[in-house]
Amino acid sequence: MTSPRIEIDLAKIEYNTRALVTLLSGRGIDVTGVTKATLGSPEVAKAMIAGGVSRLGDSRLENLEALRHAGIQTPLTLLRSPTPDQAERAVACASLSQVSELDVVKALSAAAGRRGVIHGLVLMVELGDLREGVMPGDVLDVGHRISLTPHVTLAGLGTNLACRAGVVPSAGNMGELSALATLIKARLGLQLPLVSGGNSANLAWALAAPAGRINDLRLGESILLGCDPLTRIPLSGLYTDAFTLVVPVIESLAKPTAPRGATGEAAFGIPTQTGERGTIIQTLAAIGRQDVDPDGLAPPQGVSVLAASSDHLVLETQHRLAPGTEIRFGLDYSALLRAMTSPFVTTTFATTTRQPAFPASSPSIGSLPSAPPFANRTPAAL
Ligand SMILES: *Cc1c(COP(=O)(O)O)cnc(C)c1O
């Protein structure tokens, strides 16, 4: 088998999906399965569908088109606003688009009209994380304008937190979104079928507080990696190892730890000096920053990541490893996203675990951190 490659265990993704769908359905919340970290993989999408998601979502049109071309019939949501130029393609492959600009609404309206369809819009609301969405005070006006626009329907409201500024989903901001949905009903007479509260970072909120009007969460990381993005703590009862990055060794030699010669900046800025520890076994693996975020790799026992340049991952190992030896790494979200996007990393699907052994406990409210240690946001512990 060629490497570097990502091995994907679809049975684990299906299991994680079903566990989260079941848990949230008890709260009246549906799951939109988000595929973007897998470059819109139809296989991963099918595992999510088998696990019970109501819809699939992706931020990239190309990924949604890949799902459609693979014959997937599940309703699709475009999670990042299209440009006006992309309206045609958005309307052709998605049933819902998340939007925040009236120019985009107009373009989608025109495209839907030409196609003879009604396109659903989810108006995104800015609730503090300072990424996409109209300000709360403008929701009524923009909602009203959308309701007067032909060929589109205001299908719902949505918000996204914890992605740019790290704002935590809470009873406060989720209550605000619910109240806005109620306001739209009271003032515009529109019963919104969809109120989408956010992403995987909303799980702790969803399991601790009443959901109000929120009836959808868009889940990627929690399904794929089984962890809570607010803390990167594994969600107990979920698999955290559905993805494995397998990389071949190309050199493994005894070398000093300290560089020799005057030093300046390295290829990616000022290198962190590892200190003088004598001679170690330095092993190079054939992957680099072009293909993966080296900070997001979890090496196996006895292996540590020392550095990475464009094409080389510099490791310390306990023994010399023959060229071609494969080393297996766990990945965090950032590493997964980049590795799935690299044309130099192939993807294979594990078939050995169609019936995964159940993790020790099934996910439960008590097993999720109800008060995540936000002050202590250590990087992914895998
Ligand atoms: C990526 C994305 C999601 C999913 O986020 P996860 O943290 O992976 O669950 C949800 N909504 C939007 C708008 C996104 O871009």
Side-chain angles (χ1 to χ4, degrees):
M1 230 184 287
T2 62
S3 55
R5 65 176 180 275
I6 293 188
E7 292 181 359
I8 306 180
D9 191 325
L10 295 171
K12 290 180 179 175
I13 292 171
E14 182 181 330
Y15 179 91
N16 282 359
T17 307
R18 184 170 301 112
L20 289 166
V21 165
T22 305
L23 200 58
L24 290 169
S25 74
R27 306 238 148 196
I29 296 175
D30 292 337
V31 173
T32 298
V34 177
T35 53
K36 70 186 185 214
T38 66
L39 209 63
S41 157
E43 291 84 359
V44 168
K46 285 175 192 164
M48 289 179 171
I49 293 166
V53 298
S54 306
R55 274 175 292 274
L56 293 167
D58 203 291
S59 48
R60 310 284 173 142
L61 261 177
E62 290 79 357
N63 293 349
L64 292 183
E65 287 168 347
L67 297 179
R68 280 282 178 256
H69 289 153
I72 287 171
Q73 303 290 322
T74 305
L76 302 181
T77 304
L78 181 56
L79 299 179
R80 186 179 71 178
S81 173
T83 63
D85 285 351
Q86 291 173 324
E88 255 7 288
R89 288 166 68 194
V91 165
C93 69
S95 44
L96 295 173
S97 294
Q98 296 189 165
V99 296
S100 51
E101 281 277 3
L102 284 168
D103 283 349
V104 173
V105 170
K106 278 191 205 119
L108 288 167
S109 162
R114 282 191 292 276
R115 217 181 158 77
V117 296
I118 305 285
H119 190 66
L121 301 179
V122 179
L123 177 60
M124 295 301 280
V125 186
E126 160 55 48
L127 289 178
D129 200 50
L130 299 178
R131 207 179 70 180
E132 73 273 41
V134 301
M135 295 302 287
D138 295 327
V139 166
L140 208 51
D141 178 53
V142 177
H144 181 57
R145 286 167 194 269
I146 289 175
S147 72
L148 298 176
T149 308
H151 317 300
V152 292
T153 178
L154 184 61
L157 295 181
T159 195
N160 195 73
L161 298 173
C163 274
R164 185 213 149 167
V167 169
V168 176
S170 66
N173 47 42
M174 289 299 104
E176 220 179 319
L177 188 63
S178 281
L180 286 167
T182 302
L183 185 71
I184 294 245
K185 171 85 168 76
R187 300 283 288 277
L188 304 180
L190 298 175
Q191 177 70 48
L192 302 180
L194 185 74
V195 184
S196 186
N199 55 49
S200 294
N202 282 61
L203 277 174
W205 160 81
L207 298 173
R213 300 257 341 239
I214 287 145
N215 61 8
D216 173 80
L217 289 180
R218 311 175 302 270
L219 303 183
E221 181 166 357
S222 53
I223 291 176
L224 301 171
L225 297 176
C227 76
D228 177 350
L230 280 176
T231 57
R232 297 273 145 75
I233 292 173
L235 298 166
S236 74
L238 297 190
Y239 289 101
T240 56
D241 59 350
F243 296 84
T244 307
L245 180 68
V246 185
V247 192
V249 168
I250 51 173
E251 178 192 299
S252 187
L253 298 170
K255 293 194 182 181
T257 45
R260 190 155 59 92
T263 57
E265 284 206 18
F268 290 88
I270 297 166
T272 44
Q273 298 301 344
T274 47
E276 169 60 277
R277 291 187 291 119
T279 295
I280 59 163
I281 304 300
Q282 178 182 293
T283 296
L284 299 181
I287 198 163
R289 289 184 187 271
Q290 183 168 6
D291 315 295
V292 77
D293 176 356
D295 298 328
L297 291 176
Q301 202 94 56
V303 177
S304 52
V305 177
L306 298 179
S309 57
S310 315
D311 315 305
H312 293 85
L313 185 65
V314 185
L315 305 168
E316 179 175 349
T317 55
Q318 290 170 335
H319 314 283
R320 284 188 64 190
L321 301 173
T325 303
E326 292 186 337
I327 304 182
R328 304 171 68 82
F329 296 87
L331 304 110
D332 76 359
Y333 188 80
S334 172
L336 175 66
L337 184 69
R338 211 185 295 173
M340 288 294 304
T341 308
S342 170
F344 303 104
V345 179
T346 60
T347 302
T348 61
F349 297 96
T351 49
T352 48
T353 52
R354 280 316 305 174
Q355 296 284 308
F358 277 21
S361 58
S362 51
S364 66
I365 294 163
S367 70
L368 290 170
S370 53
F374 305 120
N376 178 24
R377 298 190 56 182
T378 49
L382 282 157

